mmCIF file of all heavy atoms in Angstrom:
data_model
loop_
_atom_site.group_PDB
_atom_site.id
_atom_site.type_symbol
_atom_site.label_atom_id
_atom_site.label_comp_id
_atom_site.label_asym_id
_atom_site.label_seq_id
_atom_site.Cartn_x
_atom_site.Cartn_y
_atom_site.Cartn_z
ATOM 1 N N ASN G 145 -3.964 13.806 -13.031
ATOM 2 C CA ASN G 145 -2.708 13.062 -13.190
ATOM 3 C C ASN G 145 -1.778 13.406 -12.040
ATOM 4 O O ASN G 145 -1.595 14.579 -11.722
ATOM 5 C CB ASN G 145 -2.014 13.440 -14.508
ATOM 6 C CG ASN G 145 -2.808 12.980 -15.701
ATOM 7 O OD1 ASN G 145 -3.106 11.811 -15.845
ATOM 8 N ND2 ASN G 145 -3.162 13.922 -16.562
ATOM 9 N N LEU G 146 -1.211 12.398 -11.427
ATOM 10 C CA LEU G 146 -0.232 12.594 -10.366
ATOM 11 C C LEU G 146 1.058 11.895 -10.751
ATOM 12 O O LEU G 146 1.037 10.807 -11.327
ATOM 13 C CB LEU G 146 -0.734 12.012 -9.045
ATOM 14 C CG LEU G 146 -2.001 12.626 -8.464
ATOM 15 C CD1 LEU G 146 -2.467 11.843 -7.254
ATOM 16 C CD2 LEU G 146 -1.771 14.077 -8.099
ATOM 17 N N SER G 147 2.167 12.526 -10.448
ATOM 18 C CA SER G 147 3.456 11.885 -10.683
ATOM 19 C C SER G 147 4.366 12.186 -9.509
ATOM 20 O O SER G 147 4.208 13.191 -8.823
ATOM 21 C CB SER G 147 4.081 12.367 -11.990
ATOM 22 O OG SER G 147 4.341 13.747 -11.925
ATOM 23 N N GLY G 148 5.296 11.284 -9.264
ATOM 24 C CA GLY G 148 6.215 11.465 -8.152
ATOM 25 C C GLY G 148 7.385 10.516 -8.279
ATOM 26 O O GLY G 148 7.573 9.856 -9.308
ATOM 27 N N THR G 149 8.167 10.427 -7.219
ATOM 28 C CA THR G 149 9.330 9.554 -7.183
ATOM 29 C C THR G 149 9.227 8.643 -5.965
ATOM 30 O O THR G 149 8.978 9.118 -4.852
ATOM 31 C CB THR G 149 10.625 10.384 -7.094
ATOM 32 O OG1 THR G 149 10.652 11.305 -8.189
ATOM 33 C CG2 THR G 149 11.853 9.496 -7.149
ATOM 34 N N SER G 150 9.415 7.363 -6.173
ATOM 35 C CA SER G 150 9.373 6.393 -5.083
ATOM 36 C C SER G 150 10.556 6.607 -4.151
ATOM 37 O O SER G 150 11.699 6.728 -4.597
ATOM 38 C CB SER G 150 9.413 4.971 -5.645
ATOM 39 O OG SER G 150 9.645 4.035 -4.599
ATOM 40 N N ASN G 151 10.267 6.667 -2.836
ATOM 41 C CA ASN G 151 11.342 6.813 -1.852
ATOM 42 C C ASN G 151 12.184 5.545 -1.739
ATOM 43 O O ASN G 151 13.323 5.596 -1.306
ATOM 44 C CB ASN G 151 10.765 7.147 -0.476
ATOM 45 C CG ASN G 151 10.277 8.565 -0.402
ATOM 46 O OD1 ASN G 151 10.671 9.412 -1.190
ATOM 47 N ND2 ASN G 151 9.414 8.835 0.553
ATOM 48 N N ILE G 152 11.628 4.420 -2.124
ATOM 49 C CA ILE G 152 12.329 3.149 -1.976
ATOM 50 C C ILE G 152 13.230 2.854 -3.172
ATOM 51 O O ILE G 152 14.402 2.542 -3.031
ATOM 52 C CB ILE G 152 11.326 2.003 -1.760
ATOM 53 C CG1 ILE G 152 10.557 2.244 -0.455
ATOM 54 C CG2 ILE G 152 12.019 0.646 -1.748
ATOM 55 C CD1 ILE G 152 9.397 1.326 -0.239
ATOM 56 N N THR G 153 12.668 2.995 -4.392
ATOM 57 C CA THR G 153 13.415 2.618 -5.593
ATOM 58 C C THR G 153 13.929 3.795 -6.400
ATOM 59 O O THR G 153 14.678 3.604 -7.350
ATOM 60 C CB THR G 153 12.530 1.766 -6.513
ATOM 61 O OG1 THR G 153 11.418 2.573 -6.939
ATOM 62 C CG2 THR G 153 12.028 0.517 -5.810
ATOM 63 N N ALA G 154 13.508 4.994 -6.053
ATOM 64 C CA ALA G 154 13.865 6.213 -6.781
ATOM 65 C C ALA G 154 13.365 6.211 -8.223
ATOM 66 O O ALA G 154 13.839 6.980 -9.048
ATOM 67 C CB ALA G 154 15.370 6.463 -6.735
ATOM 68 N N THR G 155 12.390 5.367 -8.520
ATOM 69 C CA THR G 155 11.800 5.358 -9.857
ATOM 70 C C THR G 155 10.610 6.305 -9.899
ATOM 71 O O THR G 155 10.016 6.646 -8.871
ATOM 72 C CB THR G 155 11.329 3.940 -10.254
ATOM 73 O OG1 THR G 155 10.371 3.484 -9.294
ATOM 74 C CG2 THR G 155 12.486 2.968 -10.324
ATOM 75 N N ASP G 156 10.271 6.725 -11.120
ATOM 76 C CA ASP G 156 9.104 7.576 -11.299
ATOM 77 C C ASP G 156 7.838 6.740 -11.112
ATOM 78 O O ASP G 156 7.767 5.595 -11.556
ATOM 79 C CB ASP G 156 9.103 8.193 -12.690
ATOM 80 C CG ASP G 156 10.236 9.184 -12.888
ATOM 81 O OD1 ASP G 156 10.691 9.769 -11.889
ATOM 82 O OD2 ASP G 156 10.675 9.365 -14.037
#
Side-chain angles (χ1 to χ4, degrees):
N145 293 303
L146 298 173
S147 63
T149 304
S150 168
N151 286 340
I152 297 170
T153 63
T155 59
D156 293 333

